[in-house]
Amino acid sequence: MRISELQQKDVVSVSDGKRLGPISDIDINVKTGMIEAIIIQGNGNWKGWFSKGGEVTIPWKDLVKIGNDVILVRGQILQETIDTI
């Protein structure tokens, strides 16, 4: 699978079924060549996972399934409102 194919999929939380948005970038460990995390654009209200400058970093270990159209992730997202992208 190519990175461009990953970026076309929406990221969805399995804990609440909310659409988190598309992948904007990935974090790769250059020593091992393994993907460490996916990065999605947040709206600034994120709490949970790792949030920095409007981006949300979701560790690779929190990915549950990569499907045809979506990527399912686990983890608690506590946010007042999630804007649909």
Side-chain angles (χ1 to χ4, degrees):
M1 178 174 292
R2 296 175 186 258
I3 293 172
S4 60
E5 292 174 294
L6 279 178
Q7 290 178 315
Q8 294 174 358
K9 300 176 188 295
D10 281 324
V11 179
V12 176
S13 170
V14 295
S15 62
D16 58 10
K18 300 225 180 190
R19 181 175 174 254
L20 307 177
I23 295 176
S24 62
D25 206 351
I26 60 172
D27 184 15
I28 298 176
N29 182 322
V30 293
K31 290 182 182 177
T32 64
M34 303 293 287
I35 298 175
E36 300 258 324
I38 60 172
I39 301 168
I40 61 174
Q41 286 295 88
N43 62 7
N45 294 330
W46 292 93
K47 297 177 187 167
W49 279 313
F50 305 100
S51 179
K52 177 177 97 175
E55 293 180 340
V56 179
T57 301
I58 302 172
W60 188 257
K61 66 179 179 58
D62 285 345
L63 272 69
V64 175
K65 177 81 173 169
I66 299 175
N68 292 333
D69 299 320
V70 298
I71 298 172
L72 300 175
V73 296
R74 75 170 78 56
Q76 185 65 26
I77 296 179
L78 304 171
Q79 177 182 345
E80 294 174 275
T81 57
I82 294 180
D83 297 333
T84 327
I85 297 176

